[in-house]
Each structure stands twice: as C-alpha cells, then as structure tokens.
Coordinates of all heavy atoms in Angstrom, one line a residue:
P1 N 215.7 88.7 87.5 CA 215.8 87.4 86.7 C 214.4 86.8 86.4 O 213.6 86.6 87.2 CB 216.5 86.6 87.8 CG 216.9 87.4 88.9 CD 216.2 88.6 88.7
S2 N 214.4 86.4 85.1 CA 213.1 85.9 84.6 C 212.8 84.5 85.0 O 211.6 84.0 84.8 CB 213.0 86.0 83.0 OG 214.2 85.2 82.6
N3 N 213.8 83.7 85.6 CA 213.5 82.4 85.9 C 213.0 82.2 87.3 O 212.8 81.0 87.8 CB 214.9 81.6 85.7 CG 216.0 82.1 86.6 OD1 215.9 83.2 87.1 ND2 217.0 81.4 86.7
L4 N 212.7 83.2 88.0 CA 212.1 83.1 89.4 C 210.7 83.3 89.5 O 210.2 84.1 88.7 CB 213.0 84.1 90.3 CG 214.5 84.1 90.4 CD1 214.9 85.1 91.3 CD2 214.7 82.8 91.1
D5 N 210.1 82.8 90.4 CA 208.7 82.9 90.6 C 208.5 84.2 91.5 O 209.5 84.8 91.9 CB 208.0 81.6 91.3 CG 208.5 81.3 92.6 OD1 209.4 82.1 93.2 OD2 208.3 80.3 93.2
S6 N 207.2 84.6 91.8 CA 207.0 85.8 92.5 C 207.6 85.9 93.9 O 208.3 86.9 94.2 CB 205.5 86.0 92.5 OG 205.2 87.2 93.3
P7 N 207.6 84.8 94.7 CA 208.2 84.9 96.0 C 209.7 85.0 95.8 O 210.4 85.7 96.5 CB 207.9 83.6 96.7 CG 206.5 83.2 96.1 CD 206.7 83.6 94.7
G8 N 210.3 84.3 94.8 CA 211.7 84.3 94.5 C 212.2 85.7 94.0 O 213.2 86.1 94.5
L9 N 211.3 86.3 93.3 CA 211.7 87.7 92.9 C 211.6 88.6 94.1 O 212.6 89.6 94.1 CB 210.6 88.2 91.8 CG 210.9 87.6 90.5 CD1 209.7 87.9 89.5 CD2 212.2 88.0 89.8
R10 N 210.7 88.5 95.0 CA 210.7 89.2 96.2 C 212.0 89.1 97.0 O 212.6 90.0 97.6 CB 209.5 89.0 97.0 CG 208.3 89.6 96.3 CD 207.0 89.7 97.3 NE 206.5 88.4 97.7 CZ 205.7 87.6 97.1 NH1 205.2 87.9 95.9 NH2 205.4 86.4 97.6
M11 N 212.4 87.8 97.2 CA 213.6 87.5 97.9 C 214.8 88.2 97.2 O 215.7 88.7 97.8 CB 213.9 86.0 98.1 CG 215.1 85.7 98.9 SD 215.2 86.5 100.5 CE 213.7 85.8 101.2
W12 N 214.8 88.1 95.8 CA 215.9 88.6 95.1 C 216.0 90.2 95.3 O 217.1 90.7 95.5 CB 215.7 88.5 93.5 CG 216.8 89.0 92.7 CD1 216.9 90.3 92.3 CD2 218.0 88.4 92.2 NE1 218.0 90.4 91.5 CE2 218.8 89.2 91.4 CE3 218.4 87.0 92.4 CZ2 219.9 88.9 90.8 CZ3 219.6 86.7 91.7 CH2 220.3 87.6 91.0
A13 N 214.9 90.8 95.5 CA 214.8 92.3 95.8 C 215.4 92.6 97.1 O 216.1 93.5 97.2 CB 213.3 92.8 95.5
V14 N 215.0 91.7 98.1 CA 215.6 91.9 99.5 C 217.1 91.9 99.5 O 217.8 92.6 100.1 CB 215.0 90.9 100.4 CG1 215.7 90.9 101.8 CG2 213.4 91.2 100.7
I15 N 217.5 90.8 98.9 CA 219.0 90.6 98.8 C 219.7 91.7 98.0 O 220.7 92.2 98.4 CB 219.4 89.2 98.1 CG1 218.9 88.1 99.0 CG2 220.9 89.1 97.9 CD1 218.9 86.7 98.5
S16 N 219.2 92.1 96.8 CA 219.8 93.1 96.1 C 219.7 94.5 96.6 O 220.6 95.4 96.5 CB 219.3 93.1 94.6 OG 218.0 93.5 94.6
E17 N 218.6 94.8 97.4 CA 218.4 96.1 98.0 C 219.0 96.3 99.3 O 219.4 97.4 99.7 CB 216.9 96.4 98.0 CG 216.3 96.6 96.6 CD 214.8 96.7 96.7 OE1 214.2 96.9 97.7 OE2 214.2 96.6 95.5
K18 N 219.0 95.2 100.1 CA 219.4 95.3 101.5 C 220.8 94.7 101.8 O 221.6 95.2 102.6 CB 218.4 94.7 102.4 CG 216.9 95.2 102.2 CD 216.8 96.6 102.7 CE 215.4 97.1 102.6 NZ 215.2 98.6 102.7
V19 N 221.1 93.7 101.2 CA 222.4 92.9 101.5 C 223.5 93.3 100.5 O 224.6 93.6 101.1 CB 222.1 91.4 101.5 CG1 223.4 90.7 101.8 CG2 221.1 90.9 102.4
A20 N 223.2 93.4 99.3 CA 224.3 93.6 98.3 C 225.0 94.9 98.5 O 226.2 95.0 98.5 CB 223.8 93.5 96.8
P21 N 224.3 96.0 98.8 CA 224.9 97.3 99.1 C 225.8 97.2 100.3 O 226.7 98.1 100.6 CB 223.9 98.3 99.3 CG 222.6 97.7 98.6 CD 222.8 96.2 98.8
C22 N 225.8 96.3 101.2 CA 226.7 96.1 102.4 C 228.1 95.6 101.9 O 229.0 95.8 102.8 CB 226.1 95.1 103.4 SG 224.6 95.7 104.2
G23 N 228.2 95.3 100.7 CA 229.5 94.9 100.2 C 230.0 93.5 100.4 O 231.1 93.1 100.3
F24 N 229.1 92.6 100.8 CA 229.3 91.2 101.1 C 229.3 90.4 99.8 O 230.0 89.3 99.9 CB 228.3 90.5 102.1 CG 228.3 91.3 103.4 CD1 226.9 91.6 103.9 CD2 229.3 91.6 104.1 CE1 226.9 92.2 105.2 CE2 229.2 92.3 105.3 CZ 228.0 92.5 105.8
L25 N 228.6 90.7 98.8 CA 228.5 89.9 97.7 C 229.3 90.2 96.5 O 229.5 91.5 96.3 CB 227.0 89.8 97.2 CG 226.0 89.4 98.3 CD1 224.5 89.6 97.8 CD2 226.2 88.0 98.8
T26 N 229.7 89.3 95.7 CA 230.5 89.5 94.6 C 229.8 88.7 93.4 O 228.9 88.0 93.6 CB 231.9 89.1 94.6 OG1 232.0 87.6 94.7 CG2 232.7 89.7 95.7
A27 N 230.4 88.8 92.1 CA 229.7 88.1 91.0 C 229.8 86.6 91.4 O 229.0 85.9 90.8 CB 230.5 88.5 89.8
A28 N 230.8 86.1 92.1 CA 230.9 84.7 92.3 C 229.7 84.2 93.2 O 229.5 83.0 93.2 CB 232.3 84.4 93.0
D29 N 229.0 85.0 93.8 CA 227.9 84.7 94.7 C 226.6 84.5 93.9 O 225.6 84.1 94.5 CB 227.8 85.7 95.8 CG 229.0 85.8 96.7 OD1 229.5 84.7 97.1 OD2 229.4 86.9 97.0
Q30 N 226.6 84.8 92.7 CA 225.3 84.7 91.9 C 224.6 83.4 92.0 O 223.4 83.3 92.3 CB 225.5 85.1 90.4 CG 224.2 85.1 89.7 CD 224.3 85.4 88.2 OE1 225.5 85.6 87.7 NE2 223.2 85.3 87.4
P31 N 225.3 82.3 92.0 CA 224.6 80.9 92.0 C 224.0 80.7 93.3 O 222.8 80.2 93.4 CB 225.7 79.9 91.8 CG 226.8 80.6 91.0 CD 226.8 82.1 91.4
I32 N 224.5 81.1 94.4 CA 223.9 80.9 95.8 C 222.8 81.9 96.0 O 221.8 81.5 96.6 CB 225.0 81.0 96.9 CG1 224.2 80.2 98.1 CG2 225.4 82.4 97.2 CD1 225.2 79.7 99.2
V33 N 222.9 83.1 95.4 CA 221.8 84.0 95.6 C 220.6 83.4 94.7 O 219.4 83.4 95.2 CB 222.2 85.4 94.9 CG1 220.9 86.3 94.8 CG2 223.2 86.0 95.9
D34 N 220.8 82.9 93.5 CA 219.8 82.3 92.7 C 219.2 81.1 93.4 O 217.9 80.9 93.5 CB 220.4 81.9 91.4 CG 219.3 81.2 90.4 OD1 218.4 82.0 90.0 OD2 219.4 80.0 90.2
L35 N 220.0 80.2 94.0 CA 219.5 79.1 94.8 C 218.6 79.6 96.0 O 217.6 79.0 96.3 CB 220.7 78.2 95.2 CG 220.3 77.0 96.1 CD1 219.3 76.0 95.2 CD2 221.5 76.2 96.6
C36 N 219.1 80.5 96.7 CA 218.4 81.1 97.8 C 217.0 81.5 97.4 O 216.0 81.3 98.1 CB 219.2 82.2 98.5 SG 218.4 82.8 100.1
C37 N 217.0 82.2 96.3 CA 215.7 82.7 95.8 C 214.7 81.7 95.3 O 213.5 81.7 95.6 CB 215.9 83.8 94.7 SG 216.9 85.2 95.2
R38 N 215.3 80.6 94.8 CA 214.5 79.5 94.3 C 213.9 78.7 95.5 O 212.8 78.3 95.4 CB 215.3 78.6 93.4 CG 215.6 79.2 92.0 CD 216.6 78.3 91.3 NE 216.9 78.8 89.9 CZ 216.3 78.6 88.8 NH1 215.3 77.7 88.8 NH2 216.7 79.1 87.7
L39 N 214.8 78.5 96.5 CA 214.3 77.8 97.6 C 213.3 78.6 98.4 O 212.4 77.9 98.8 CB 215.5 77.6 98.6 CG 216.5 76.4 98.2 CD1 217.8 76.4 98.9 CD2 215.8 75.1 98.3
W40 N 213.4 79.9 98.4 CA 212.3 80.6 99.0 C 210.9 80.4 98.4 O 210.1 80.3 98.9 CB 212.8 82.1 99.0 CG 211.7 83.0 99.8 CD1 210.9 83.8 99.2 CD2 211.5 83.1 101.2 NE1 210.1 84.4 100.2 CE2 210.5 84.0 101.4 CE3 212.1 82.4 102.2 CZ2 210.1 84.3 102.7 CZ3 211.7 82.8 103.5 CH2 210.7 83.6 103.7
G41 N 211.0 80.4 97.1 CA 209.8 80.2 96.3 C 209.2 78.8 96.6 O 208.0 78.6 96.8
L42 N 210.1 77.8 96.6 CA 209.6 76.4 96.9 C 209.1 76.3 98.3 O 208.1 75.7 98.6 CB 210.7 75.4 96.7 CG 211.2 75.2 95.3 CD1 212.5 74.4 95.2 CD2 210.1 74.5 94.5
L43 N 209.8 77.0 99.2 CA 209.3 77.0 100.7 C 208.0 77.7 100.8 O 207.1 77.1 101.5 CB 210.4 77.8 101.6 CG 209.9 78.0 103.0 CD1 209.7 76.6 103.7 CD2 211.0 78.7 103.8
Q44 N 207.7 78.7 100.1 CA 206.4 79.3 100.1 C 205.3 78.5 99.6 O 204.2 78.4 100.1 CB 206.3 80.7 99.4 CG 207.4 81.7 100.0 CD 207.3 81.9 101.5 OE1 206.3 82.2 102.0 NE2 208.4 81.6 102.3
Q45 N 205.6 77.7 98.6 CA 204.7 76.8 97.9 C 204.4 75.7 99.0 O 203.2 75.2 99.1 CB 205.1 76.3 96.6 CG 205.2 77.2 95.5 CD 205.9 76.6 94.2 OE1 205.8 75.4 94.0 NE2 206.5 77.4 93.5
A46 N 205.4 75.2 99.5 CA 205.3 74.1 100.4 C 204.4 74.5 101.7 O 203.6 73.7 102.2 CB 206.6 73.6 100.9
M47 N 204.7 75.7 102.1 CA 203.9 76.2 103.3 C 202.4 76.4 102.9 O 201.6 76.1 103.8 CB 204.5 77.5 103.7 CG 205.9 77.3 104.5 SD 206.5 78.9 105.1 CE 205.8 78.9 106.7
A48 N 202.2 76.8 101.7 CA 200.8 76.9 101.3 C 200.0 75.6 101.2 O 198.9 75.5 101.7 CB 200.7 77.7 99.9
C49 N 200.7 74.6 100.7 CA 200.3 73.3 100.7 C 200.0 72.8 102.2 O 199.0 72.1 102.4 CB 201.2 72.3 100.0 SG 201.2 72.5 98.2
A50 N 201.0 72.9 103.1 CA 200.8 72.4 104.5 C 199.8 73.2 105.1 O 199.0 72.6 106.0 CB 202.1 72.6 105.1
Q51 N 199.5 74.4 104.8 CA 198.4 75.2 105.5 C 197.1 74.8 104.9 O 196.1 74.7 105.7 CB 198.6 76.6 105.2 CG 199.7 77.3 106.1 CD 199.9 78.7 105.8 OE1 199.7 79.3 104.7 NE2 200.5 79.5 106.8
S52 N 197.0 74.3 103.6 CA 195.6 73.9 103.2 C 195.4 72.5 103.7 O 194.1 72.2 103.7 CB 195.7 74.0 101.6 OG 196.6 73.0 101.1
D53 N 196.3 71.7 104.0 CA 196.1 70.4 104.4 C 197.2 69.9 105.5 O 198.2 69.4 105.2 CB 196.2 69.4 103.3 CG 195.8 67.9 103.8 OD1 195.5 67.7 105.0 OD2 195.8 67.0 103.0
P54 N 197.1 70.5 106.7 CA 198.0 70.2 107.9 C 198.3 68.8 108.1 O 199.4 68.5 108.6 CB 197.5 71.0 109.0 CG 196.4 71.9 108.5 CD 195.9 71.3 107.3
M55 N 197.5 68.0 107.7 CA 197.7 66.5 108.0 C 198.5 65.9 106.9 O 198.8 64.7 107.0 CB 196.4 65.7 108.1 CG 195.5 66.3 109.3 SD 196.4 66.4 110.9 CE 196.6 64.7 111.1
D56 N 198.8 66.5 105.9 CA 199.6 66.0 104.7 C 201.1 65.9 105.1 O 201.8 66.9 105.2 CB 199.4 66.9 103.5 CG 200.2 66.4 102.3 OD1 201.1 65.5 102.4 OD2 199.8 66.8 101.1
K57 N 201.5 64.7 105.4 CA 202.9 64.4 105.9 C 203.9 64.9 104.9 O 204.9 65.4 105.2 CB 203.1 63.0 106.2 CG 204.4 62.5 106.8 CD 204.4 61.1 107.1 CE 205.8 60.8 107.7 NZ 205.9 59.3 108.0
D58 N 203.7 64.6 103.6 CA 204.6 65.1 102.6 C 204.7 66.6 102.5 O 205.8 67.2 102.4 CB 204.2 64.6 101.2 CG 204.4 63.1 101.1 OD1 205.2 62.5 101.8 OD2 203.7 62.4 100.2
A59 N 203.7 67.3 102.6 CA 203.7 68.8 102.7 C 204.5 69.3 103.8 O 205.4 70.2 103.8 CB 202.3 69.4 102.7
R60 N 204.3 68.7 105.1 CA 205.0 69.1 106.2 C 206.5 68.8 106.1 O 207.3 69.6 106.5 CB 204.5 68.4 107.5 CG 203.1 68.8 107.9 CD 202.6 68.3 109.3 NE 203.0 67.0 109.6 CZ 202.3 65.9 109.4 NH1 201.1 66.0 108.8 NH2 202.7 64.7 109.8
A61 N 206.8 67.6 105.5 CA 208.2 67.3 105.3 C 208.9 68.2 104.4 O 210.1 68.5 104.6 CB 208.4 65.8 104.8
S62 N 208.2 68.7 103.3 CA 208.7 69.6 102.4 C 209.0 70.8 103.0 O 210.1 71.5 102.8 CB 207.7 69.8 101.2 OG 207.6 68.7 100.4
V63 N 208.1 71.3 104.0 CA 208.4 72.7 104.6 C 209.7 72.5 105.4 O 210.5 73.5 105.5 CB 207.2 73.0 105.6 CG1 207.5 74.1 106.5 CG2 205.9 73.5 104.7
V64 N 209.9 71.4 106.2 CA 211.0 71.3 107.0 C 212.2 71.3 106.1 O 213.3 71.9 106.4 CB 210.8 70.0 107.9 CG1 212.2 69.8 108.6 CG2 209.7 70.1 108.9
A65 N 212.3 70.5 105.1 CA 213.5 70.4 104.3 C 213.8 71.6 103.5 O 215.0 72.1 103.6 CB 213.2 69.3 103.2
Y66 N 212.8 72.4 103.0 CA 213.0 73.6 102.3 C 213.5 74.7 103.3 O 214.3 75.5 103.0 CB 211.9 74.2 101.5 CG 211.6 73.3 100.3 CD1 210.3 72.8 99.9 CD2 212.6 72.9 99.4 CE1 210.0 72.2 98.8 CE2 212.4 72.2 98.2 CZ 211.0 71.9 97.9 OH 210.7 71.2 96.8
T67 N 212.9 74.7 104.5 CA 213.3 75.6 105.6 C 214.8 75.5 105.9 O 215.6 76.4 105.9 CB 212.6 75.5 106.8 OG1 211.1 75.9 106.4 CG2 213.0 76.4 107.9
S68 N 215.2 74.2 106.1 CA 216.6 73.8 106.4 C 217.5 74.4 105.3 O 218.6 75.0 105.7 CB 216.7 72.4 106.7 OG 218.1 72.0 106.9
Q69 N 217.2 74.0 104.1 CA 218.1 74.4 103.1 C 218.1 75.9 102.7 O 219.2 76.5 102.5 CB 217.6 73.6 101.7 CG 217.9 72.1 101.8 CD 219.3 71.9 102.1 OE1 220.2 72.2 101.4 NE2 219.5 71.1 103.2
W70 N 217.0 76.5 102.9 CA 217.0 78.0 102.8 C 217.7 78.7 103.9 O 218.6 79.6 103.5 CB 215.6 78.5 102.7 CG 215.5 80.0 102.4 CD1 215.6 80.6 101.3 CD2 215.5 81.1 103.4 NE1 215.6 81.9 101.4 CE2 215.6 82.3 102.7 CE3 215.4 81.1 104.8 CZ2 215.6 83.5 103.4 CZ3 215.5 82.3 105.5 CH2 215.5 83.5 104.7
M71 N 217.6 78.2 105.0 CA 218.4 78.8 106.3 C 219.9 78.7 106.0 O 220.6 79.6 106.3 CB 218.0 78.2 107.5 CG 216.6 78.5 107.9 SD 216.3 80.2 108.4 CE 217.2 80.3 109.8
A72 N 220.3 77.5 105.4 CA 221.8 77.4 105.1 C 222.2 78.3 104.0 O 223.3 79.1 104.2 CB 222.0 75.9 104.6
C73 N 221.5 78.5 103.0 CA 221.8 79.5 101.9 C 221.7 80.9 102.5 O 222.7 81.8 102.3 CB 220.9 79.3 100.7 SG 221.2 77.9 99.7
A74 N 220.6 81.2 103.2 CA 220.5 82.5 103.7 C 221.7 83.0 104.7 O 222.1 84.1 104.7 CB 219.2 82.6 104.5
G75 N 222.2 81.9 105.5 CA 223.3 82.1 106.3 C 224.6 82.5 105.6 O 225.2 83.4 106.0
K76 N 224.8 82.0 104.4 CA 225.9 82.2 103.6 C 225.9 83.6 103.0 O 226.9 84.1 102.8 CB 226.1 81.1 102.6 CG 226.5 79.7 103.1 CD 226.6 78.7 102.0 CE 226.8 77.3 102.5 NZ 227.9 77.2 103.4
L77 N 224.7 84.1 102.8 CA 224.6 85.4 102.3 C 224.5 86.6 103.3 O 224.2 87.7 103.0 CB 223.3 85.5 101.4 CG 223.3 84.5 100.2 CD1 222.1 84.4 99.4 CD2 224.5 85.0 99.3
G78 N 224.4 86.2 104.6 CA 224.3 87.2 105.6 C 223.0 87.7 105.8 O 222.8 88.8 106.1
L79 N 221.9 86.8 105.7 CA 220.5 87.3 105.8 C 220.0 87.4 107.2 O 218.9 87.9 107.4 CB 219.6 86.6 105.0 CG 219.8 86.7 103.5 CD1 218.7 85.8 102.7 CD2 219.7 88.1 103.0
S80 N 220.8 87.1 108.2 CA 220.4 87.3 109.6 C 221.5 88.1 110.3 O 222.8 88.2 109.8 CB 220.3 86.0 110.4 OG 221.5 85.4 110.7
P81 N 221.2 88.8 111.4 CA 222.3 89.7 111.9 C 223.5 88.9 112.5 O 224.6 89.3 112.3 CB 221.6 90.3 113.2 CG 220.1 90.3 112.7 CD 220.0 89.1 111.9
A82 N 223.4 87.6 112.9 CA 224.3 86.9 113.5 C 225.2 86.4 112.3 O 226.5 86.2 112.4 CB 223.8 85.6 114.1
D83 N 224.6 86.1 111.1 CA 225.5 85.7 110.0 C 226.1 86.8 109.4 O 227.3 86.7 108.9 CB 224.5 85.0 108.8 CG 224.0 83.7 109.3 OD1 224.6 82.9 109.9 OD2 222.7 83.5 109.1
R84 N 225.6 88.0 109.3 CA 226.3 89.2 108.9 C 227.6 89.5 109.6 O 228.6 89.9 109.0 CB 225.4 90.4 108.8 CG 224.6 90.4 107.6 CD 223.8 91.8 107.5 NE 222.9 92.0 108.6 CZ 221.7 91.5 108.6 NH1 221.2 90.8 107.7 NH2 220.9 91.9 109.7
V85 N 227.5 89.3 110.9 CA 228.7 89.5 111.8 C 229.9 88.6 111.3 O 231.1 89.0 111.4 CB 228.4 89.2 113.3 CG1 229.7 89.3 114.1 CG2 227.4 90.2 113.8
K86 N 229.6 87.5 110.9 CA 230.8 86.5 110.4 C 231.3 86.9 109.0 O 232.4 86.3 108.6 CB 230.2 85.1 110.3 CG 229.6 84.6 111.5 CD 228.9 83.3 111.4 CE 228.2 82.9 112.5 NZ 227.4 81.6 112.3
L87 N 230.7 87.7 108.3 CA 231.2 88.2 107.0 C 232.1 89.3 107.0 O 232.2 90.0 108.0 CB 230.0 88.5 106.1 CG 228.9 87.5 105.8 CD1 227.8 88.0 105.0 CD2 229.5 86.2 105.1
A88 N 233.0 89.4 106.0 CA 234.0 90.4 106.0 C 233.4 91.8 105.9 O 232.3 92.0 105.4 CB 234.9 90.2 104.7
P89 N 234.0 92.7 106.7 CA 233.4 94.1 106.7 C 233.5 94.8 105.3 O 234.4 94.4 104.5 CB 234.3 94.8 107.6 CG 235.5 94.1 107.7 CD 235.2 92.6 107.4
A90 N 232.6 95.6 105.0 CA 232.5 96.3 103.7 C 233.7 97.1 103.4 O 234.1 97.3 102.3 CB 231.3 97.2 103.7
T91 N 234.4 97.6 104.4 CA 235.6 98.4 104.3 C 236.8 97.6 103.7 O 237.6 98.1 103.0 CB 236.1 99.0 105.5 OG1 236.3 98.0 106.6 CG2 235.0 100.0 106.1
A92 N 236.7 96.3 103.8 CA 237.8 95.4 103.2 C 237.4 94.9 101.8 O 238.2 94.2 101.2 CB 238.0 94.2 104.1
K93 N 236.3 95.4 101.3 CA 235.8 94.9 100.1 C 236.6 95.4 98.8 O 237.0 96.6 98.8 CB 234.3 95.2 99.9 CG 233.7 94.9 98.6 CD 232.3 95.4 98.6 CE 231.7 95.2 97.2 NZ 232.2 96.1 96.2
K94 N 237.0 94.5 98.0 CA 237.7 94.9 96.7 C 236.6 95.1 95.6 O 235.5 94.5 95.6 CB 238.7 93.8 96.3 CG 239.7 93.7 97.3 CD 240.7 92.7 96.9 CE 241.9 92.6 97.9 NZ 242.8 91.6 97.5
K95 N 237.0 95.9 94.6 CA 236.1 96.1 93.5 C 236.0 94.8 92.7 O 236.9 94.1 92.5 CB 236.7 97.1 92.6 CG 236.0 97.4 91.3 CD 235.0 98.4 91.4 CE 234.4 98.8 90.1 NZ 233.0 98.8 90.0
D96 N 234.7 94.6 92.3 CA 234.4 93.3 91.6 C 233.5 93.6 90.4 O 232.6 94.5 90.6 CB 233.7 92.3 92.6 CG 233.4 91.0 91.9 OD1 232.3 90.9 91.2 OD2 234.2 90.1 92.0
D97 N 233.7 93.0 89.3 CA 232.8 93.3 88.1 C 231.4 93.0 88.3 O 230.5 93.5 87.6 CB 233.4 92.6 86.9 CG 234.8 93.1 86.5 OD1 235.2 94.3 86.8 OD2 235.6 92.4 85.9
G98 N 231.0 92.1 89.2 CA 229.7 91.7 89.4 C 228.9 92.6 90.3 O 227.8 92.5 90.6
D99 N 229.6 93.6 91.0 CA 229.0 94.5 91.9 C 227.8 95.3 91.2 O 226.8 95.4 91.9 CB 230.0 95.5 92.4 CG 231.0 94.9 93.3 OD1 230.7 93.8 93.8 OD2 232.0 95.6 93.7
E100 N 227.9 95.7 90.0 CA 226.8 96.4 89.3 C 225.6 95.5 89.2 O 224.4 96.0 89.5 CB 227.3 96.8 88.0 CG 226.2 97.7 87.3 CD 226.7 98.3 86.0 OE1 227.9 98.7 85.9 OE2 225.9 98.3 85.1
F101 N 225.9 94.2 88.9 CA 224.8 93.2 88.8 C 224.0 93.1 90.1 O 222.9 93.0 90.1 CB 225.3 91.9 88.4 CG 224.3 90.8 88.4 CD1 223.5 90.7 87.3 CD2 224.3 89.9 89.4 CE1 222.4 89.7 87.2 CE2 223.3 88.8 89.4 CZ 222.4 88.8 88.3
F102 N 224.7 93.1 91.2 CA 224.1 92.9 92.5 C 223.7 94.2 93.1 O 223.1 94.3 94.3 CB 225.0 92.2 93.5 CG 225.1 90.7 93.1 CD1 226.1 90.2 92.4 CD2 224.2 89.9 93.7 CE1 226.2 88.8 92.1 CE2 224.2 88.5 93.4 CZ 225.3 88.0 92.6
G103 N 223.9 95.4 92.5 CA 223.5 96.6 93.0 C 224.3 97.3 94.0 O 223.9 98.4 94.5
A104 N 225.6 96.8 94.2 CA 226.5 97.5 95.1 C 227.1 98.7 94.4 O 227.3 98.6 93.2 CB 227.6 96.5 95.6
T105 N 227.5 99.7 95.2 CA 228.3 100.8 94.6 C 229.6 100.7 95.1 O 229.9 100.1 96.1 CB 227.7 102.2 95.1 OG1 227.7 102.1 96.6 CG2 226.1 102.2 94.6
G106 N 230.5 101.3 94.3 CA 231.9 101.3 94.8 C 232.8 100.9 93.8 O 233.6 100.4 93.3

C-alpha cells in the first residue's frame, strides 16, 4: 500500500506474511489491517520523539495512547499467541475473494 510510512509497511509485511496465511483474515478485514499499520507507524514516531526528549509529557502521552490503540487492533488481528487462540481455526475458513489480496492460499 502506497499510503503507509516505512514502519507501517513493515507491519503490513508481518501481517501479510505471517498472519494472513493462517486463514484468519478476509477482505472485510482490510480496514483494520490498514489502521493497525498506520497506528504502528504513529507509535514508532511517538516513541522516537519520547526517546529524544523523555521529559516531553505530550510525547509520553502519545506513546501510551498509540500503544493502547495498536494493541487493540493487533489483538483483533491475532498478532499475539493469546489472541490467535481466540480466532477461528484455519480449517473452518471459507474461500474469500480478498484472500489473494492478503496473501492467503486456498
């Protein structure tokens, strides 16, 4: 996707290469994948600001807020082992036209 920054593109690669082939994602998940990748980029920027000036209260608050929101999106996508357990098994997955977009086979 051309609308993502470098950290967002790296997150997109992780999701498309590691999570999508598990069969959890469909075309309907594209908006949350996009949001997760954008939040990851914002979180990385906020962390860089907080590291350059640890006393900057706004930078620290941004890190906390972006972390919280990213964790919520990441959980919905199964990016942690505990979250993946909650998702439907790949064997129950139905064919979806968006699978090719997300890199899944089947």
Side-chain angles (χ1 to χ4, degrees):
S2 61
N3 59 346
L4 297 176
D5 60 9
S6 183
L9 286 171
R10 286 192 300 274
M11 182 54 60
W12 182 275
V14 167
I15 293 169
S16 64
E17 294 170 12
K18 305 295 183 190
V19 179
C22 295
F24 300 133
L25 302 176
T26 69
D29 298 311
Q30 181 184 359
I32 196 157
V33 170
D34 183 65
L35 179 60
C36 187
C37 294
R38 288 173 184 265
L39 284 167
W40 183 253
L42 290 169
L43 173 57
Q44 298 311 304
Q45 290 176 30
M47 289 183 88
C49 288
Q51 287 175 333
S52 69
D53 185 3
M55 300 308 292
D56 183 341
K57 184 177 179 180
D58 290 335
R60 292 191 324 265
S62 293
V63 168
V64 171
Y66 288 135
T67 298
S68 174
Q69 293 303 304
W70 184 81
M71 292 294 291
C73 284
K76 293 181 185 301
L77 296 173
L79 292 180
S80 77
D83 293 318
R84 279 190 296 280
V85 169
K86 300 173 191 173
L87 298 175
T91 56
K93 178 183 174 285
K94 294 181 181 177
K95 176 86 171 130
D96 183 276
D97 292 336
D99 289 346
E100 184 176 322
F101 175 78
F102 284 97
T105 58

